[in-house]
Amino acid sequence: MRLLGAHVGGDLICTAGTFHNPEGNALSADRIEVEGGVFFNQGFSAEGSVRLPGARIGGCFECDGGQFRCPEARALDADSFDVGGSVFLRKGFSAEGAVWLVGATVGSNFDCGGGTFRNAAGMALTADNIKVGGSVFLRKGFSAEGEVWLVNAQIGSNLDCIDGSFKNPSGRALSADGVDIKGGVLLRQGFTAEGEVRMRGAHIRQGLDCQGGKIKGFRGMALNAERIQVEGSILLRNGFFAEGEVCFLGALINDNLECDGAVFTNPGAKALNAEGIRVGRSVFLRARFSAAGEVRLLGAKIVESLECDDGTFRNPGGEALLADRVNIGGSLFLRNGFSAEGEVRLLGAQAGSNFDCTRGAFKNASGKAIFADNANVRGHVLFARGFSSEGDVVLFGTQIGGGMNCFEGTFSAL
């Protein structure tokens, strides 16, 4: 069916319609102008591509419950279309083949809650450079098999992926490099990704909330947020799990980085890479935080404290915590159940208050348990009351403004 360049004064309603052309285009409406809404919903079925590139729609574009099938090509092609209201691909919407919205403009929300997008061999949903006035919802049963692209998207409110499933185990599950989000990003409460989640250079005006989210990465990379800017906090806590590196290299966070209770696993490589990070308040890697692999904070600047109480850092034969030249305005806490297997390295580190390892356990069978040459601690250094080290504790050239307390500490050289 062809509606190329058509002008519709009211609505275009294809509710419960069946369009069948499996070898080509089922519906071609390039550059169509519709003053009302477009409805491909409630039993709508298309076998073959549905095309709306360059379309102008005054109202909403609603495909709730619609079925789109074009496995070898684009099931829905809406490049550069302009929708005055919302776009709804939800509540039983199903696409087999790519859904393509590159350069689209959406006046209100882009809602894919409960939608299914299947294109395992390529792009499931491609929305590079999309402009959305409201929120993007990929949540509440949203499911994608294949890559979801939101590179350089502009979103006026939130990117909400709560309870969304993103599956592309042989590549990127979600690509959002350069995204500009006026609200927050929610990858929590049932969010799962098989494949890399990538947000390099993203700018988020509120927070990045991944509480309870689970990411199983690709080729050793789980979450790549290099140079991300977040004006609120980053929350990777309360059951957050990452298999592969979590990368915040050069990130700027105005509030806290909180990883309490999180599990990062990337044995023999970087589990958490926050080299050069800038944090406006504190970094929390505590309360049953667990890292299998290196935690890297080289050259990080933290305005308040770095707290790792009751955290477990395991990287035998390497650095469990690598924080040379870290600059901490407050205290460095590696205490009260803190455990490190591998070297804790703090060469040239600066702490504005205390370096407290009370009841911390440090073990490095290959040599140095704590290596903190030329550090500068303006407060006290505490290796006391249950502190234990298996391996050398080296503090050559370290300046300590207060006292050094080793009462009831245990030091064992290997």
Side-chain angles (χ1 to χ4, degrees):
M1 182 167 178
R2 293 167 62 90
L3 293 168
L4 303 177
H7 184 96
V8 181
D11 297 330
L12 172 59
I13 302 174
C14 301
T15 300
T18 300
F19 297 76
H20 184 81
N21 188 27
E23 302 302 322
N25 299 325
L27 173 61
S28 294
D30 302 24
R31 303 179 307 281
I32 192 171
E33 296 185 13
V34 181
E35 295 184 15
V38 174
F39 299 91
F40 297 157
N41 60 352
Q42 298 177 16
F44 172 88
S45 175
E47 191 166 352
S49 183
V50 174
R51 290 181 48 83
L52 291 157
R56 299 291 180 266
I57 301 168
C60 292
F61 179 57
E62 182 176 327
C63 301
D64 291 355
Q67 308 294 304
F68 296 73
R69 188 174 187 275
C70 191
E72 304 302 324
R74 300 178 185 179
L76 174 59
D77 185 350
D79 272 10
S80 302
F81 86 153
D82 189 325
V83 178
S86 293
V87 172
F88 299 117
L89 312 178
R90 59 183 184 176
K91 296 180 180 177
F93 169 88
S94 175
E96 188 173 346
V99 174
W100 215 267
L101 290 96
V102 173
T105 300
V106 180
S108 188
N109 295 325
F110 178 32
D111 191 346
C112 303
T116 300
F117 297 72
R118 295 188 304 275
N119 191 28
M123 305 292 186
L125 172 61
T126 304
D128 295 5
N129 297 298
I130 194 171
K131 297 179 180 178
V132 179
S135 292
V136 173
F137 297 115
L138 310 177
R139 62 176 182 175
K140 293 184 178 178
F142 170 88
S143 174
E145 293 184 33
E147 191 166 348
V148 175
W149 271 59
L150 291 167
V151 173
N152 294 323
Q154 298 180 40
I155 301 172
S157 188
N158 297 325
L159 171 57
D160 184 345
C161 303
I162 293 173
D163 196 35
S165 174
F166 297 72
K167 186 176 181 180
N168 190 32
S170 60
R172 299 173 195 158
L174 173 61
S175 291
D177 290 358
V179 69
D180 188 336
I181 300 174
K182 300 296 191 295
V185 175
L186 310 175
L187 310 179
R188 66 181 189 188
Q189 296 174 356
F191 169 86
T192 62
E194 292 185 43
E196 179 184 343
V197 175
R198 191 158 137 163
M199 304 187 73
R200 297 192 311 174
H203 187 182
I204 303 171
R205 309 304 174 86
Q206 295 182 18
L208 170 59
D209 187 347
C210 303
Q211 297 183 78
K214 302 187 185 307
I215 304 173
K216 184 178 181 180
F218 170 66
R219 291 183 178 172
M221 183 62 71
L223 174 60
N224 188 346
E226 184 178 337
R227 303 185 313 281
I228 196 171
Q229 297 181 51
V230 179
E231 296 186 15
S233 292
I234 294 181
L235 308 177
L236 311 178
R237 62 185 187 186
N238 297 338
F240 174 82
F241 172 86
E243 183 178 326
E245 180 179 336
V246 175
C247 179
F248 293 116
L249 180 68
L252 176 62
I253 305 167
N254 281 9
D255 209 326
N256 295 321
L257 172 59
E258 302 186 27
C259 304
D260 293 355
V263 175
F264 296 72
T265 179
N266 198 26
K270 301 179 186 75
L272 173 60
N273 183 2
E275 183 174 347
I277 198 170
R278 299 292 182 266
V279 180
R281 294 187 63 190
S282 294
V283 174
F284 300 116
L285 311 176
R286 60 185 184 179
R288 298 182 304 282
F289 167 86
S290 174
E294 181 183 297
V295 174
R296 192 177 183 94
L297 288 162
L298 282 167
K301 183 174 182 180
I302 303 166
V303 171
E304 295 182 1
S305 296
L306 171 57
E307 301 188 21
C308 304
D309 291 4
D310 196 29
T312 301
F313 296 69
R314 297 187 308 277
N315 193 30
E319 285 84 17
L321 175 60
L322 178 56
D324 296 357
R325 305 181 309 281
V326 67
N327 188 326
I328 302 166
S331 292
L332 170 56
F333 295 120
L334 310 178
R335 61 182 183 176
N336 297 337
F338 172 88
S339 173
E341 187 174 351
E343 185 177 299
V344 172
R345 202 170 99 174
L346 298 160
L347 301 179
Q350 297 185 49
S353 187
N354 297 329
F355 176 28
D356 189 346
C357 301
T358 302
R359 289 184 290 276
F362 299 76
K363 181 179 181 180
N364 186 23
S366 63
K368 301 177 181 70
I370 300 176
F371 190 14
D373 283 7
N374 299 310
N376 187 340
V377 179
R378 293 180 179 84
H380 302 285
V381 173
L382 307 172
F383 299 141
R385 298 194 306 277
F387 166 87
S388 69
S389 69
E390 297 182 38
D392 295 337
V393 176
V394 183
L395 301 170
F396 290 136
T398 291
Q399 300 180 47
I400 303 171
M404 184 170 178
N405 185 349
C406 302
F407 179 70
E408 295 184 348
T410 302
F411 297 78
S412 301
L414 297 177

